[in-house]
Amino acid sequence: MASEREVVSAFLGRCNEYARASIARKQERGEKEDIAKWEAYIEFNEHALEEINNGTLNRWFPQQQPAKPPAHRHETDAMEHGERSLWLNAVLSPRPVVVAVTMDNNGRRNVAPLSSLMAVSTAPPYLTASFSIHKDGRHRDTLVNARSTSTIVFNFMPATARGVQIVDETATPLPHGEDEGLLGEINMLDDHPMVLNEAVAAIEAVFVEEHALPQAVAKLAVFRATAVWSSEQEGPEEGLNVLCQHGRDLMTPAPDGWTHRVTKHYG
């Protein structure tokens, strides 16, 4: 994503494009009384662009401060659950939030957000996700349904207010068998009843196995990806701008800020 300087420069450039087009239209119509104002506007923007590029206006933009060294060690076993969750979510961020869709044996749909999905192998294409339990001790409907019917679809949401709304609404705890998708008024593709029409992309997968985590109530589930749904014909080299969770409950777009491609791992 472009830096703040690049965004401002691009905006001023577009403003000047619009101003020059306005001047051309006025000249065609013989309306010359406002042309001088548009020319002054362009001159002002050009002067601002020059000062942005030569560093004169650096004070307008926040300077990146060097990170402080991680000198404090916090024992996780000494933390309460909430504090431990806060730290781990803060450090392991951001990560994509997916809306997982499953069906139970009676064909009833379950829709729920999930932020622990991770690709752990490409050959075979394995994904993992962890599933906690409800406060009443029930396992998550997503895991229960995936166990029984095998199929699951992980929908990646757009980094928009609508994407956040879908995640927030489908996170509402409902009794087993009730459809959270009705809360968010979501629609599915005609070609697949579990792929959200508003998703940026989706991964269709099948349940493979689950593992108990030592001294934990959460289960680690393994899925095998069987298909990727996308509006594109080819995989995007730059990735997709998908909704992510940053920290514990904050939704944010990704990628965000500056980017730099690394290639040394290719050898």
Side-chain angles (χ1 to χ4, degrees), residues 127-147:
L127 312 173
T128 62
S130 66
F131 295 89
S132 60
I133 61 173
H134 290 285
K135 293 181 179 179
D136 60 6
R138 290 186 300 116
H139 287 289
R140 299 288 175 176
D141 290 345
T142 301
L143 179 58
V144 173
N145 291 348
R147 287 171 179 161

Side-chain angles (χ1 to χ4, degrees), residues 39-52:
E39 290 175 338
Y41 176 74
I42 293 172
E43 183 179 358
F44 177 85
N45 286 343
E46 291 293 344
H47 182 70
L49 282 167
E50 181 181 351
E51 291 195 331
I52 289 173

Side-chain angles (χ1 to χ4, degrees), residues 34-253:
D34 290 330
I35 290 180
K37 296 178 182 179
W38 282 109
E39 290 175 338
Y41 176 74
I42 293 172
E43 183 179 358
F44 177 85
N45 286 343
E46 291 293 344
H47 182 70
L49 282 167
E50 181 181 351
E51 291 195 331
I52 289 173
N53 293 330
N54 66 23
T56 302
L57 297 181
N58 279 349
R59 64 187 183 280
W60 285 14
F61 304 97
Q63 301 299 309
Q64 186 174 12
Q65 300 297 321
K68 296 180 180 179
H72 303 286
R73 186 174 186 269
H74 306 275
E75 289 278 357
T76 54
D77 286 345
M79 298 177 184
E80 296 293 335
H81 175 79
E83 182 185 8
R84 186 163 50 245
S85 172
L86 180 63
W87 271 109
L88 293 178
N89 280 299
V91 175
L92 297 170
S93 290
R95 54 195 181 279
V97 177
V98 300
V99 174
V101 180
T102 55
M103 299 283 188
D104 68 11
N105 287 323
N106 295 315
R108 295 177 298 185
R109 183 177 65 177
N110 179 260
V111 185
L114 184 66
S115 64
S116 63
L117 185 68
M118 178 181 296
V120 293
S121 170
T122 53
Y126 284 141
L127 312 173
T128 62
S130 66
F131 295 89
S132 60
I133 61 173
H134 290 285
K135 293 181 179 179
D136 60 6
R138 290 186 300 116
H139 287 289
R140 299 288 175 176
D141 290 345
T142 301
L143 179 58
V144 173
N145 291 348
R147 287 171 179 161
S148 59
T149 64
S150 179
T151 303
I152 186 169
V153 174
F154 302 106
N155 292 273
F156 294 79
M157 305 313 302
T160 61
R162 173 60 177 161
V164 174
Q165 179 192 11
I166 291 174
V167 167
D168 200 18
E169 293 290 348
T170 57
T172 305
L174 296 179
H176 178 73
E178 293 192 18
D179 188 350
E180 296 85 355
L182 299 177
L183 299 175
E185 299 180 350
I186 61 177
N187 297 308
M188 303 295 175
L189 290 183
D190 293 336
D191 293 339
H192 199 297
M194 296 160 68
V195 178
L196 271 68
N197 188 54
E198 297 176 78
V200 173
I203 296 179
E204 186 179 340
V206 293
F207 176 80
V208 177
E209 61 187 22
E210 67 181 83
H211 300 272
L213 296 172
Q215 301 178 335
V217 296
K219 301 288 186 180
L220 183 68
V222 179
F223 303 91
R224 182 179 178 125
T226 56
V228 177
W229 292 76
S230 172
S231 61
E232 306 296 329
Q233 291 289 346
E234 298 182 359
E237 281 285 339
E238 304 300 326
L240 297 173
N241 190 18
V242 299
L243 188 66
C244 288
Q245 177 178 324
H246 191 45
R248 185 148 50 182
D249 297 310
L250 185 65
M251 299 292 108
T252 184

